[in-house]
Each structure stands twice: as C-alpha cells, then as structure tokens.
Short mmCIF file of all heavy atoms in Angstrom, two decimals:
data_model
loop_
_atom_site.label_atom_id
_atom_site.label_comp_id
_atom_site.label_asym_id
_atom_site.label_seq_id
_atom_site.Cartn_x
_atom_site.Cartn_y
_atom_site.Cartn_z
N MET A 28 25.90 -25.89 -30.83
CA MET A 28 24.79 -25.94 -31.78
C MET A 28 24.59 -24.54 -32.36
O MET A 28 24.42 -23.57 -31.65
CB MET A 28 23.53 -26.39 -31.04
CG MET A 28 22.35 -26.46 -31.93
SD MET A 28 20.97 -27.23 -31.08
CE MET A 28 19.83 -25.88 -31.06
N ARG A 29 24.62 -24.43 -33.63
CA ARG A 29 24.43 -23.16 -34.34
C ARG A 29 22.97 -23.05 -34.76
O ARG A 29 22.37 -24.01 -35.21
CB ARG A 29 25.31 -23.11 -35.57
CG ARG A 29 26.71 -22.67 -35.26
CD ARG A 29 27.36 -22.19 -36.53
NE ARG A 29 27.71 -20.81 -36.65
CZ ARG A 29 28.70 -20.20 -36.02
NH1 ARG A 29 29.35 -20.85 -35.10
NH2 ARG A 29 29.02 -18.97 -36.28
N LEU A 30 22.45 -21.84 -34.60
CA LEU A 30 21.06 -21.62 -35.01
C LEU A 30 21.03 -21.16 -36.45
O LEU A 30 21.91 -20.43 -36.91
CB LEU A 30 20.43 -20.56 -34.12
CG LEU A 30 20.31 -20.91 -32.62
CD1 LEU A 30 19.74 -19.72 -31.85
CD2 LEU A 30 19.47 -22.13 -32.43
N THR A 31 19.99 -21.56 -37.12
CA THR A 31 19.84 -21.17 -38.51
C THR A 31 19.33 -19.71 -38.54
O THR A 31 18.80 -19.21 -37.52
CB THR A 31 18.80 -22.06 -39.22
OG1 THR A 31 17.54 -21.88 -38.62
CG2 THR A 31 19.22 -23.53 -39.15
N PRO A 32 19.42 -19.04 -39.66
CA PRO A 32 18.91 -17.66 -39.75
C PRO A 32 17.42 -17.57 -39.43
O PRO A 32 16.97 -16.59 -38.80
CB PRO A 32 19.19 -17.27 -41.19
CG PRO A 32 20.34 -18.11 -41.61
CD PRO A 32 20.18 -19.41 -40.87
N GLU A 33 16.64 -18.59 -39.77
CA GLU A 33 15.22 -18.58 -39.47
C GLU A 33 15.01 -18.65 -37.95
O GLU A 33 14.12 -18.00 -37.40
CB GLU A 33 14.51 -19.75 -40.16
CG GLU A 33 14.47 -19.68 -41.67
CD GLU A 33 15.73 -20.18 -42.32
OE1 GLU A 33 16.48 -20.95 -41.67
OE2 GLU A 33 16.01 -19.80 -43.46
N GLN A 34 15.79 -19.47 -37.29
CA GLN A 34 15.68 -19.61 -35.84
C GLN A 34 16.10 -18.31 -35.15
O GLN A 34 15.50 -17.92 -34.14
CB GLN A 34 16.52 -20.77 -35.34
CG GLN A 34 16.00 -22.12 -35.73
CD GLN A 34 16.94 -23.25 -35.37
OE1 GLN A 34 18.17 -23.09 -35.42
NE2 GLN A 34 16.37 -24.41 -35.04
N LEU A 35 17.12 -17.66 -35.66
CA LEU A 35 17.54 -16.37 -35.09
C LEU A 35 16.45 -15.31 -35.27
O LEU A 35 16.21 -14.50 -34.35
CB LEU A 35 18.83 -15.89 -35.75
CG LEU A 35 20.07 -16.72 -35.38
CD1 LEU A 35 21.28 -16.27 -36.21
CD2 LEU A 35 20.39 -16.58 -33.90
N LYS A 36 15.80 -15.29 -36.44
CA LYS A 36 14.68 -14.37 -36.65
C LYS A 36 13.53 -14.66 -35.69
O LYS A 36 12.90 -13.75 -35.16
CB LYS A 36 14.20 -14.43 -38.10
CG LYS A 36 15.07 -13.72 -39.09
CD LYS A 36 14.48 -13.79 -40.47
CE LYS A 36 15.35 -13.11 -41.48
NZ LYS A 36 14.77 -13.15 -42.83
N ALA A 37 13.23 -15.94 -35.52
CA ALA A 37 12.15 -16.34 -34.63
C ALA A 37 12.48 -15.92 -33.19
O ALA A 37 11.62 -15.45 -32.46
CB ALA A 37 11.90 -17.86 -34.70
N ARG A 38 13.73 -16.11 -32.77
CA ARG A 38 14.15 -15.69 -31.44
C ARG A 38 13.99 -14.17 -31.27
O ARG A 38 13.52 -13.70 -30.24
CB ARG A 38 15.59 -16.09 -31.17
CG ARG A 38 16.08 -15.66 -29.83
CD ARG A 38 17.57 -15.83 -29.66
NE ARG A 38 17.90 -17.20 -29.43
CZ ARG A 38 19.15 -17.64 -29.30
NH1 ARG A 38 20.17 -16.79 -29.42
NH2 ARG A 38 19.39 -18.91 -29.08
N SER A 39 14.38 -13.44 -32.28
CA SER A 39 14.29 -11.98 -32.24
C SER A 39 12.84 -11.52 -32.13
O SER A 39 12.53 -10.65 -31.30
CB SER A 39 14.94 -11.37 -33.48
OG SER A 39 14.81 -9.98 -33.47
N ARG A 40 11.96 -12.12 -32.93
CA ARG A 40 10.53 -11.79 -32.84
C ARG A 40 9.96 -12.13 -31.46
O ARG A 40 9.18 -11.37 -30.91
CB ARG A 40 9.74 -12.52 -33.94
CG ARG A 40 9.92 -11.91 -35.31
CD ARG A 40 8.91 -12.52 -36.30
NE ARG A 40 8.94 -13.98 -36.37
CZ ARG A 40 9.67 -14.69 -37.22
NH1 ARG A 40 10.43 -14.07 -38.12
NH2 ARG A 40 9.65 -16.00 -37.21
N ARG A 41 10.35 -13.27 -30.95
CA ARG A 41 9.89 -13.70 -29.64
C ARG A 41 10.37 -12.72 -28.55
O ARG A 41 9.59 -12.34 -27.66
CB ARG A 41 10.37 -15.12 -29.35
CG ARG A 41 9.78 -15.76 -28.13
CD ARG A 41 10.09 -17.26 -28.03
NE ARG A 41 11.50 -17.59 -28.28
CZ ARG A 41 11.93 -18.27 -29.35
NH1 ARG A 41 11.09 -18.67 -30.27
NH2 ARG A 41 13.21 -18.54 -29.52
N ASN A 42 11.62 -12.32 -28.63
CA ASN A 42 12.15 -11.35 -27.67
C ASN A 42 11.42 -10.02 -27.75
O ASN A 42 11.13 -9.39 -26.73
CB ASN A 42 13.65 -11.15 -27.86
CG ASN A 42 14.46 -12.35 -27.40
OD1 ASN A 42 13.97 -13.20 -26.66
ND2 ASN A 42 15.70 -12.44 -27.90
N LEU A 43 11.12 -9.57 -28.96
CA LEU A 43 10.38 -8.33 -29.12
C LEU A 43 8.97 -8.43 -28.57
O LEU A 43 8.45 -7.50 -27.96
CB LEU A 43 10.36 -7.91 -30.59
CG LEU A 43 11.70 -7.39 -31.14
CD1 LEU A 43 11.58 -7.15 -32.64
CD2 LEU A 43 12.10 -6.12 -30.43
N ALA A 44 8.35 -9.58 -28.78
CA ALA A 44 6.98 -9.79 -28.25
C ALA A 44 6.99 -9.79 -26.72
O ALA A 44 6.13 -9.17 -26.08
CB ALA A 44 6.43 -11.10 -28.77
N ILE A 45 8.00 -10.41 -26.12
CA ILE A 45 8.10 -10.43 -24.65
C ILE A 45 8.36 -9.02 -24.13
O ILE A 45 7.75 -8.57 -23.16
CB ILE A 45 9.20 -11.41 -24.21
CG1 ILE A 45 8.76 -12.84 -24.48
CG2 ILE A 45 9.54 -11.21 -22.73
CD1 ILE A 45 9.85 -13.88 -24.28
N ALA A 46 9.25 -8.29 -24.79
CA ALA A 46 9.54 -6.91 -24.37
C ALA A 46 8.30 -6.03 -24.50
O ALA A 46 8.01 -5.21 -23.62
CB ALA A 46 10.68 -6.35 -25.21
N GLY A 47 7.56 -6.19 -25.58
CA GLY A 47 6.33 -5.43 -25.77
C GLY A 47 5.29 -5.71 -24.69
O GLY A 47 4.61 -4.86 -24.17
N GLY A 48 5.19 -7.02 -24.35
CA GLY A 48 4.25 -7.40 -23.30
C GLY A 48 4.65 -6.83 -21.94
O GLY A 48 3.80 -6.37 -21.18
N LEU A 49 5.95 -6.81 -21.64
CA LEU A 49 6.41 -6.22 -20.39
C LEU A 49 6.16 -4.73 -20.35
O LEU A 49 5.73 -4.20 -19.31
CB LEU A 49 7.89 -6.51 -20.21
CG LEU A 49 8.26 -7.94 -19.78
CD1 LEU A 49 9.77 -8.13 -19.82
CD2 LEU A 49 7.70 -8.25 -18.43
N VAL A 50 6.41 -4.04 -21.44
CA VAL A 50 6.17 -2.57 -21.47
C VAL A 50 4.67 -2.32 -21.30
O VAL A 50 4.28 -1.41 -20.55
CB VAL A 50 6.69 -1.99 -22.80
CG1 VAL A 50 6.17 -0.57 -23.01
CG2 VAL A 50 8.22 -2.01 -22.79
N ALA A 51 3.82 -3.10 -21.96
CA ALA A 51 2.37 -2.91 -21.80
C ALA A 51 1.94 -3.16 -20.37
O ALA A 51 1.13 -2.39 -19.82
CB ALA A 51 1.63 -3.85 -22.75
N PHE A 52 2.48 -4.16 -19.72
CA PHE A 52 2.14 -4.45 -18.32
C PHE A 52 2.59 -3.32 -17.40
O PHE A 52 1.84 -2.89 -16.53
CB PHE A 52 2.80 -5.78 -17.90
CG PHE A 52 2.53 -6.12 -16.46
CD1 PHE A 52 1.27 -6.52 -16.03
CD2 PHE A 52 3.55 -6.06 -15.52
CE1 PHE A 52 1.05 -6.85 -14.71
CE2 PHE A 52 3.33 -6.38 -14.21
CZ PHE A 52 2.08 -6.77 -13.80
N ILE A 53 3.80 -2.82 -17.62
CA ILE A 53 4.30 -1.71 -16.80
C ILE A 53 3.43 -0.48 -16.97
O ILE A 53 3.10 0.21 -16.01
CB ILE A 53 5.79 -1.45 -17.14
CG1 ILE A 53 6.63 -2.61 -16.63
CG2 ILE A 53 6.25 -0.12 -16.54
CD1 ILE A 53 8.06 -2.59 -17.15
N LEU A 54 3.05 -0.18 -18.20
CA LEU A 54 2.17 0.96 -18.47
C LEU A 54 0.81 0.78 -17.79
O LEU A 54 0.26 1.74 -17.22
CB LEU A 54 2.00 1.18 -19.95
CG LEU A 54 3.19 1.85 -20.66
CD1 LEU A 54 2.94 1.85 -22.18
CD2 LEU A 54 3.41 3.25 -20.14
N LEU A 55 0.27 -0.43 -17.84
CA LEU A 55 -1.01 -0.70 -17.18
C LEU A 55 -0.93 -0.45 -15.68
O LEU A 55 -1.81 0.21 -15.10
CB LEU A 55 -1.44 -2.14 -17.48
CG LEU A 55 -2.73 -2.60 -16.79
CD1 LEU A 55 -3.91 -1.90 -17.41
CD2 LEU A 55 -2.85 -4.10 -16.94
N ILE A 56 0.11 -0.94 -15.04
CA ILE A 56 0.30 -0.76 -13.62
C ILE A 56 0.49 0.72 -13.29
O ILE A 56 -0.12 1.27 -12.34
CB ILE A 56 1.49 -1.57 -13.09
CG1 ILE A 56 1.25 -3.08 -13.30
CG2 ILE A 56 1.80 -1.25 -11.63
CD1 ILE A 56 0.05 -3.62 -12.56
N PHE A 57 1.29 1.43 -14.09
CA PHE A 57 1.53 2.85 -13.85
C PHE A 57 0.24 3.67 -13.97
O PHE A 57 -0.08 4.50 -13.12
CB PHE A 57 2.58 3.38 -14.82
CG PHE A 57 2.84 4.84 -14.70
CD1 PHE A 57 3.57 5.35 -13.65
CD2 PHE A 57 2.33 5.74 -15.65
CE1 PHE A 57 3.82 6.72 -13.54
CE2 PHE A 57 2.54 7.09 -15.53
CZ PHE A 57 3.30 7.58 -14.48
N ILE A 58 -0.51 3.41 -15.04
CA ILE A 58 -1.75 4.18 -15.25
C ILE A 58 -2.77 3.89 -14.17
O ILE A 58 -3.42 4.81 -13.66
CB ILE A 58 -2.32 3.85 -16.67
CG1 ILE A 58 -1.40 4.46 -17.75
CG2 ILE A 58 -3.75 4.36 -16.82
CD1 ILE A 58 -1.71 4.04 -19.15
N SER A 59 -2.89 2.63 -13.75
CA SER A 59 -3.85 2.31 -12.70
C SER A 59 -3.42 2.97 -11.38
O SER A 59 -4.26 3.41 -10.60
CB SER A 59 -4.02 0.82 -12.54
OG SER A 59 -2.83 0.23 -12.05
N THR A 60 -2.12 3.02 -11.10
CA THR A 60 -1.63 3.67 -9.89
C THR A 60 -1.92 5.15 -9.91
O THR A 60 -2.40 5.72 -8.91
CB THR A 60 -0.12 3.43 -9.74
OG1 THR A 60 0.13 2.03 -9.69
CG2 THR A 60 0.42 4.10 -8.49
N VAL A 61 -1.69 5.81 -11.03
CA VAL A 61 -1.95 7.24 -11.14
C VAL A 61 -3.44 7.53 -10.99
O VAL A 61 -3.84 8.47 -10.27
CB VAL A 61 -1.41 7.81 -12.48
CG1 VAL A 61 -1.92 9.20 -12.74
CG2 VAL A 61 0.11 7.77 -12.48
N LEU A 62 -4.28 6.71 -11.61
CA LEU A 62 -5.72 6.93 -11.51
C LEU A 62 -6.24 6.70 -10.08
O LEU A 62 -7.07 7.46 -9.60
CB LEU A 62 -6.46 6.02 -12.48
CG LEU A 62 -6.28 6.36 -13.96
CD1 LEU A 62 -6.96 5.31 -14.84
CD2 LEU A 62 -6.80 7.75 -14.26
N ASN A 63 -5.72 5.68 -9.39
CA ASN A 63 -6.12 5.45 -8.00
C ASN A 63 -5.65 6.60 -7.11
O ASN A 63 -6.39 7.04 -6.21
CB ASN A 63 -5.53 4.15 -7.49
CG ASN A 63 -6.35 2.96 -7.94
OD1 ASN A 63 -7.56 3.07 -8.14
ND2 ASN A 63 -5.71 1.83 -8.08
N PHE A 64 -4.44 7.09 -7.33
CA PHE A 64 -3.94 8.21 -6.56
C PHE A 64 -4.82 9.45 -6.76
O PHE A 64 -5.17 10.14 -5.81
CB PHE A 64 -2.48 8.51 -6.96
CG PHE A 64 -1.86 9.62 -6.20
CD1 PHE A 64 -1.51 9.44 -4.88
CD2 PHE A 64 -1.64 10.86 -6.79
CE1 PHE A 64 -0.92 10.47 -4.16
CE2 PHE A 64 -1.07 11.88 -6.08
CZ PHE A 64 -0.71 11.69 -4.77
N GLN A 65 -5.15 9.70 -8.02
CA GLN A 65 -6.00 10.86 -8.32
C GLN A 65 -7.37 10.71 -7.67
O GLN A 65 -7.89 11.67 -7.06
CB GLN A 65 -6.15 10.99 -9.83
CG GLN A 65 -7.01 12.17 -10.26
CD GLN A 65 -7.17 12.24 -11.77
OE1 GLN A 65 -6.82 11.28 -12.49
NE2 GLN A 65 -7.70 13.33 -12.25
N ARG A 66 -7.96 9.52 -7.73
CA ARG A 66 -9.27 9.29 -7.14
C ARG A 66 -9.20 9.49 -5.62
O ARG A 66 -10.11 10.09 -5.02
CB ARG A 66 -9.73 7.89 -7.46
CG ARG A 66 -11.13 7.58 -6.93
CD ARG A 66 -11.54 6.18 -7.25
NE ARG A 66 -10.61 5.28 -6.59
CZ ARG A 66 -10.53 3.97 -6.82
NH1 ARG A 66 -11.33 3.42 -7.70
NH2 ARG A 66 -9.67 3.23 -6.18
N ASN A 67 -8.15 9.00 -4.99
CA ASN A 67 -8.00 9.17 -3.54
C ASN A 67 -7.80 10.61 -3.14
O ASN A 67 -8.31 11.04 -2.11
CB ASN A 67 -6.84 8.31 -3.02
CG ASN A 67 -7.16 6.83 -3.06
OD1 ASN A 67 -8.31 6.43 -3.09
ND2 ASN A 67 -6.13 6.01 -3.05
N MET A 68 -7.07 11.36 -3.96
CA MET A 68 -6.89 12.78 -3.65
C MET A 68 -8.20 13.53 -3.77
O MET A 68 -8.50 14.43 -2.95
CB MET A 68 -5.83 13.38 -4.60
CG MET A 68 -4.42 12.84 -4.35
SD MET A 68 -3.79 13.18 -2.71
CE MET A 68 -3.58 14.94 -2.81
N GLU A 69 -9.01 13.22 -4.78
CA GLU A 69 -10.31 13.86 -4.95
C GLU A 69 -11.25 13.51 -3.78
O GLU A 69 -11.98 14.36 -3.27
CB GLU A 69 -10.94 13.46 -6.28
CG GLU A 69 -10.21 14.04 -7.49
CD GLU A 69 -10.68 13.49 -8.80
OE1 GLU A 69 -11.50 12.56 -8.81
OE2 GLU A 69 -10.21 13.96 -9.85
N ALA A 70 -11.22 12.24 -3.36
CA ALA A 70 -12.07 11.83 -2.25
C ALA A 70 -11.65 12.52 -0.97
O ALA A 70 -12.47 12.95 -0.17
CB ALA A 70 -12.01 10.31 -2.08
N ARG A 71 -10.35 12.67 -0.77
CA ARG A 71 -9.84 13.35 0.42
C ARG A 71 -10.25 14.81 0.42
O ARG A 71 -10.69 15.36 1.42
CB ARG A 71 -8.32 13.22 0.51
CG ARG A 71 -7.72 13.87 1.72
CD ARG A 71 -6.22 13.76 1.66
NE ARG A 71 -5.62 14.48 2.75
CZ ARG A 71 -5.03 13.90 3.79
NH1 ARG A 71 -4.95 12.60 3.85
NH2 ARG A 71 -4.52 14.64 4.73
N ALA A 72 -10.13 15.47 -0.74
CA ALA A 72 -10.54 16.87 -0.84
C ALA A 72 -12.02 17.01 -0.59
O ALA A 72 -12.46 17.97 0.08
CB ALA A 72 -10.17 17.39 -2.21
N ALA A 73 -12.83 16.09 -1.09
CA ALA A 73 -14.28 16.15 -0.86
C ALA A 73 -14.61 15.97 0.62
O ALA A 73 -15.48 16.66 1.15
CB ALA A 73 -14.98 15.11 -1.71
N MET A 74 -13.90 15.06 1.29
CA MET A 74 -14.15 14.84 2.71
C MET A 74 -13.75 16.05 3.53
O MET A 74 -14.43 16.44 4.48
CB MET A 74 -13.38 13.61 3.19
CG MET A 74 -14.01 12.30 2.74
SD MET A 74 -13.10 10.85 3.32
CE MET A 74 -13.34 11.00 5.08
N GLN A 75 -12.64 16.68 3.16
CA GLN A 75 -12.21 17.89 3.88
C GLN A 75 -13.18 19.03 3.66
O GLN A 75 -13.47 19.79 4.57
CB GLN A 75 -10.80 18.30 3.44
CG GLN A 75 -9.73 17.41 4.03
CD GLN A 75 -8.35 17.77 3.56
OE1 GLN A 75 -8.19 18.53 2.61
NE2 GLN A 75 -7.34 17.25 4.23
N ALA A 76 -13.69 19.13 2.44
CA ALA A 76 -14.62 20.20 2.12
C ALA A 76 -15.95 20.01 2.85
O ALA A 76 -16.58 21.00 3.27
CB ALA A 76 -14.87 20.26 0.63
N SER A 77 -16.36 18.77 3.09
CA SER A 77 -17.61 18.53 3.77
C SER A 77 -17.44 18.53 5.30
O SER A 77 -18.43 18.44 6.02
CB SER A 77 -18.20 17.21 3.34
OG SER A 77 -17.40 16.12 3.77
N GLY A 78 -16.22 18.64 5.77
CA GLY A 78 -15.99 18.72 7.21
C GLY A 78 -15.91 17.37 7.87
O GLY A 78 -15.86 17.28 9.12
N GLN A 79 -15.91 16.27 7.14
CA GLN A 79 -15.84 14.94 7.74
C GLN A 79 -14.43 14.60 8.19
O GLN A 79 -14.20 13.71 8.98
CB GLN A 79 -16.28 13.88 6.74
CG GLN A 79 -17.73 13.97 6.39
CD GLN A 79 -18.12 12.89 5.37
OE1 GLN A 79 -17.30 12.09 4.98
NE2 GLN A 79 -19.36 12.91 4.96
N MET A 80 -13.45 15.35 7.69
CA MET A 80 -12.07 15.06 8.01
C MET A 80 -11.40 16.36 8.42
O MET A 80 -11.57 17.39 7.76
CB MET A 80 -11.39 14.46 6.77
CG MET A 80 -9.98 14.14 6.89
SD MET A 80 -9.41 13.55 5.27
CE MET A 80 -8.24 12.36 5.71
N ALA A 81 -10.60 16.30 9.45
CA ALA A 81 -9.88 17.49 9.90
C ALA A 81 -8.80 17.81 8.87
O ALA A 81 -8.22 16.92 8.26
CB ALA A 81 -9.26 17.23 11.26
N ALA A 82 -8.49 19.08 8.72
CA ALA A 82 -7.42 19.48 7.82
C ALA A 82 -6.11 19.00 8.38
O ALA A 82 -5.94 18.90 9.59
CB ALA A 82 -7.43 21.01 7.66
N PRO A 83 -5.16 18.66 7.53
CA PRO A 83 -3.87 18.17 8.02
C PRO A 83 -3.18 19.24 8.88
O PRO A 83 -3.20 20.41 8.55
CB PRO A 83 -3.06 17.89 6.76
CG PRO A 83 -3.93 18.17 5.62
CD PRO A 83 -5.23 18.68 6.08
N SER A 84 -2.60 18.77 9.98
CA SER A 84 -1.92 19.70 10.87
C SER A 84 -0.45 19.80 10.53
O SER A 84 0.06 19.03 9.73
CB SER A 84 -2.11 19.23 12.33
OG SER A 84 -1.45 18.00 12.49
N ALA A 85 0.24 20.71 11.16
CA ALA A 85 1.64 20.95 10.88
C ALA A 85 2.49 19.76 11.35
O ALA A 85 3.57 19.52 10.83
CB ALA A 85 2.11 22.22 11.55
N SER A 86 2.03 19.00 12.33
CA SER A 86 2.83 17.87 12.84
C SER A 86 2.69 16.62 11.99
O SER A 86 3.34 15.64 12.27
CB SER A 86 2.47 17.59 14.29
OG SER A 86 1.12 17.20 14.36
N GLY A 87 1.86 16.60 10.99
CA GLY A 87 1.76 15.47 10.06
C GLY A 87 0.47 14.67 10.24
O GLY A 87 -0.36 15.01 11.08
N PRO A 88 0.34 13.59 9.50
CA PRO A 88 -0.91 12.83 9.50
C PRO A 88 -1.14 12.04 10.78
O PRO A 88 -2.25 11.65 11.08
CB PRO A 88 -0.74 11.87 8.31
CG PRO A 88 0.73 11.78 8.05
CD PRO A 88 1.29 13.11 8.53
N ALA A 89 -0.13 11.77 11.56
CA ALA A 89 -0.31 10.95 12.77
C ALA A 89 -1.24 11.66 13.75
O ALA A 89 -2.07 11.04 14.40
CB ALA A 89 1.01 10.64 13.40
N SER A 90 -1.08 12.97 13.90
CA SER A 90 -1.92 13.70 14.87
C SER A 90 -3.34 13.82 14.40
O SER A 90 -4.25 13.92 15.20
CB SER A 90 -1.34 15.09 15.11
OG SER A 90 -1.39 15.85 13.94
N ALA A 91 -3.59 13.77 13.08
CA ALA A 91 -4.96 13.87 12.57
C ALA A 91 -5.74 12.60 12.82
O ALA A 91 -6.94 12.60 12.93
CB ALA A 91 -4.94 14.19 11.07
N THR A 92 -5.04 11.45 12.91
CA THR A 92 -5.74 10.18 13.07
C THR A 92 -5.78 9.73 14.53
O THR A 92 -6.61 8.92 14.88
CB THR A 92 -5.08 9.09 12.22
OG1 THR A 92 -3.70 8.97 12.61
CG2 THR A 92 -5.17 9.41 10.75
N SER A 93 -4.84 10.18 15.37
CA SER A 93 -4.83 9.74 16.74
C SER A 93 -5.83 10.55 17.56
O SER A 93 -5.81 11.77 17.58
CB SER A 93 -3.45 9.85 17.33
OG SER A 93 -3.03 11.19 17.35
N GLN A 94 -6.72 9.82 18.23
CA GLN A 94 -7.70 10.47 19.11
C GLN A 94 -7.64 9.82 20.46
O GLN A 94 -7.51 8.60 20.57
CB GLN A 94 -9.09 10.31 18.49
CG GLN A 94 -9.26 11.00 17.16
CD GLN A 94 -10.63 10.74 16.56
OE1 GLN A 94 -11.41 10.01 17.10
NE2 GLN A 94 -10.88 11.35 15.42
N PRO A 95 -7.77 10.60 21.55
CA PRO A 95 -7.70 10.04 22.91
C PRO A 95 -8.90 9.17 23.26
O PRO A 95 -9.91 9.18 22.73
CB PRO A 95 -7.62 11.24 23.81
CG PRO A 95 -7.98 12.42 23.01
CD PRO A 95 -7.91 12.04 21.58
#
C-alpha cells in the first residue's frame, strides 16, 4: 500500500508532534530533578548550620546515620 503525499505529510507532522512531546516531558523531568536536588542540598546545609545534623565524616554517610 502506497501512501499519498498528504498522508506522508500527516505522518511527518504526527512524528514531529510526538518527538516534541517527548522532549518536553524529558525537560520537565530533568528540571524537576534539578530543583529537588537543589532544595535538598539547601535543606541539608541549613540543618548542618543549625547543628541538627552532624557534619559528614571521612568514612562516608553510613557512619553519620548509624548510632549505637
């Protein structure tokens, strides 16, 4: 079955719309991840500054969270 030129144009437009939607979704996920990471880093810095959280030790985060 051969597609007419109109059908080929419609397919091309549809493919571009799908690609645009995927790019927009990927950008939305990326931006929300960066913003959450930034917010968590600021919250961590505020907790360390207020003394609610011990500063990270040389042995890594496991020793900061494990308590006897």
Side-chain angles (χ1 to χ4, degrees):
M28 179 172 117
R29 278 199 114 71
L30 297 177
T31 65
E33 293 83 22
Q34 291 172 325
L35 290 173
K36 282 183 182 181
R38 178 191 283 178
S39 177
R40 284 191 305 267
R41 189 169 47 248
N42 288 342
L43 287 174
I45 291 170
L49 285 172
V50 168
F52 178 71
I53 290 169
L54 283 173
L55 176 69
I56 297 299
F57 177 75
I58 290 170
S59 67
T60 301
V61 168
L62 291 175
N63 280 331
F64 181 73
Q65 181 182 11
R66 184 182 61 192
N67 289 339
M68 292 299 290
E69 290 170 356
R71 181 183 176 109
M74 285 180 66
Q75 284 178 346
S77 68
Q79 293 179 2
M80 178 184 214
S84 64
S86 61
S90 64
T92 57
S93 62
Q94 297 176 355

